[in-house]
Amino acid sequence: MQIEVSGLRKHYGHFEACKDVSFRIGQGNLIGLLGPSGGGKTTILRLLAGLEIPDSGEIRFAGQRVNEVPPQKRGIGFVFQNYALFKHMTVFENIAFGLHIQKVKKSDIRERVLELVALTGLQGMERRYPHQLSGGQRQRVAFARALAPKPQLLLLDEPFAAIDAKVRKELRSWLKEMISRVGVTTIFVTHDQDEAVEVADEIIIVHQGRLEQVGTPIEIYNRPASAFVAHFIGESNVVHRPSELKGFAGVPEEAQAIVRPEFIDVGRGRELATPSAAEKGVVKQVYFRGSSWLVEAEVGSQALFAYRSLESPPLHPGDEVLVLIHRLYLFADNRMQTIENEHRYDPMPVHI
């Protein structure tokens, strides 16, 4: 089912939780609704579900306006972060609950439940109660229960928040595969950028009730539409007075600049391709990140972070280093530009 939202606004007293939000979602897409706590994610989800009524704007499902349609008639499945399973019901009974409400035939209920038990990997657990399941298994039951009535839209509110890190990572992959097989349009709320980038076909980023950007994970990472997005997605450094850095003299002084760790090389002189384009710095701290080191270096009064290969000679706090910034994200007049270091390529390389 295609979703179209236009000019959506919602106030709670004097607080505006949703400010003129508009977006479209294609059939069968898995969408990550991403943003910091209090940014408006859950408000948008509740407006889509019909649990809240917008002050203005329009919500359309498959071209039909649903603003006045009650939640139970919108064809929506809902999964909460705390599972919300019925403690006195078995796995089978929990999954079948919505079908009983719809007065589906018992034979059809059994067939649908067993189909979902197989889909969610819960075979052999049909007679267990929620307290007999792990957190990951309970969440799978919640997914199966939401899918049982064959909803047109699946809404997930922080679905993995109550699960430990290892199981959460496993469930991300499982969710992406399951939604691909089922083909239902799905929106999941999260404040975890890694989760959104790994799972979503597209990401909708909201901040302070406003929509900041919509796009695929790679589009948003490579072409952030605002300084907030650049800072929120991936690791980044805010650069003060970027025009004072080597190779960026033409940058306006008032511009806001952000640089990602992968845009920076840090090392001793011979390790950099163009040491003449680098700034002098001092290592403040080194963090082990599994596949690389994250080096914090101080350049003047500016703290910058850069990745460094585990194969390179180790650096230690207090080491004097060169810091080569290859490019910056520059934000001025509501526009984003990628600015390259004009000196990073030596015009007269010396071959020895």
Side-chain angles (χ1 to χ4, degrees):
M1 178 172 67
Q2 290 186 328
I3 311 296
E4 185 174 355
V5 170
S6 58
L8 213 58
R9 292 182 180 274
K10 181 65 181 177
H11 291 79
Y12 297 100
H14 295 295
F15 176 67
E16 191 172 14
C18 186
K19 305 174 182 177
D20 195 24
V21 170
S22 301
F23 57 83
R24 292 183 180 183
I25 299 172
Q27 165 66 37
N29 281 357
L30 177 55
I31 305 298
L33 187 53
L34 178 65
S37 297
K41 307 182 300 295
T42 298
T43 297
I44 293 172
L45 206 70
R46 291 177 64 83
L47 290 168
L48 290 172
L51 301 175
E52 301 281 356
I53 305 301
D55 297 328
S56 61
E58 195 169 66
I59 302 171
R60 289 182 175 271
F61 290 176
Q64 300 298 313
R65 177 185 165 99
V66 297
N67 287 44
E68 293 77 27
V69 176
Q72 65 273 21
K73 294 186 178 181
R74 293 195 183 191
I76 289 173
F78 216 119
V79 178
F80 301 92
Q81 62 176 284
N82 60 354
Y83 322 126
L85 299 180
F86 300 112
K87 297 178 181 180
H88 64 287
M89 292 185 182
T90 63
V91 168
F92 188 101
E93 292 166 339
N94 264 285
I95 298 173
F97 180 79
L99 299 175
H100 283 299
I101 296 297
Q102 292 180 345
K103 302 188 184 303
V104 177
K105 290 193 305 182
K106 285 188 177 181
S107 59
D108 291 340
I109 289 176
R110 178 174 177 79
E111 181 181 349
R112 178 62 173 162
V113 171
L114 293 180
E115 175 189 345
L116 288 166
V117 164
L119 177 68
T120 53
L122 293 168
Q123 298 97 323
M125 303 180 190
E126 297 89 339
R127 298 191 179 188
R128 294 187 187 180
Y129 289 89
H131 74 273
Q132 297 173 309
L133 303 174
S134 68
Q137 290 166 345
R138 291 177 202 166
Q139 195 58 289
R140 289 175 186 243
V141 175
F143 279 119
R145 184 179 62 182
L147 288 170
K150 298 184 178 179
Q152 299 182 75
L153 175 64
L154 187 62
L155 301 177
L156 316 176
D157 189 6
E158 300 271 9
F160 308 131
I163 301 171
D164 66 70
K166 184 176 185 299
V167 177
R168 186 161 66 239
K169 192 165 182 64
E170 292 172 357
L171 280 179
R172 289 176 191 169
S173 301
W174 171 81
L175 174 65
K176 191 171 182 68
E177 181 183 354
M178 184 189 70
I179 296 303
S180 177
R181 290 170 63 184
V182 175
V184 61
T185 304
T186 302
I187 303 173
F188 72 98
V189 163
T190 181
H191 62 271
D192 185 333
Q193 58 166 286
D194 292 336
E195 190 167 280
V197 167
E198 183 177 335
V199 175
D201 299 317
E202 283 193 319
I203 296 174
I204 298 173
I205 299 180
V206 293
H207 175 50
Q208 296 181 345
R210 296 189 183 279
L211 190 148
E212 292 279 341
Q213 189 170 359
V214 179
T216 65
I218 191 67
E219 286 171 350
I220 288 176
Y221 190 85
N222 287 336
R223 300 290 299 172
S226 67
F228 170 79
V229 173
H231 195 66
F232 189 70
I233 295 292
E235 297 184 78
S236 59
N237 309 274
V238 176
V239 178
H240 306 289
R241 298 182 298 279
S243 61
E244 296 179 7
L245 296 171
K246 286 186 179 180
F248 299 98
V251 173
E253 291 186 11
E254 70 279 4
Q256 185 175 9
I258 288 176
V259 59
R260 298 200 187 280
E262 61 265 34
F263 296 171
I264 302 175
D265 287 337
V266 59
R268 298 178 179 90
R270 292 180 177 272
E271 295 175 333
L272 302 187
T274 320
S276 61
E279 301 280 351
K280 292 181 179 180
V282 176
V283 175
K284 300 300 291 181
Q285 193 53 266
V286 180
Y287 306 93
F288 179 59
R289 286 298 178 89
S291 59
S292 65
W293 296 106
L294 181 66
V295 180
E296 179 184 1
E298 190 171 63
V299 176
S301 61
Q302 176 75 52
L304 298 174
F305 292 84
Y307 296 129
R308 183 171 171 85
S309 170
L310 298 178
E311 303 300 318
S312 300
L315 295 175
H316 304 93
D319 286 351
E320 293 185 356
V321 290
L322 292 179
V323 179
L324 175 58
I325 301 172
H326 292 274
R327 64 183 64 89
L328 299 172
Y329 286 142
L330 194 69
F331 296 91
D333 300 324
N334 294 319
R335 292 188 305 114
M336 191 280 283
Q337 292 178 278
T338 302
I339 306 295
E340 301 287 339
N341 185 323
E342 60 187 21
H343 299 321
R344 70 187 180 115
Y345 296 114
D346 193 335
M348 297 182 63
V350 177
H351 300 282
I352 299 177

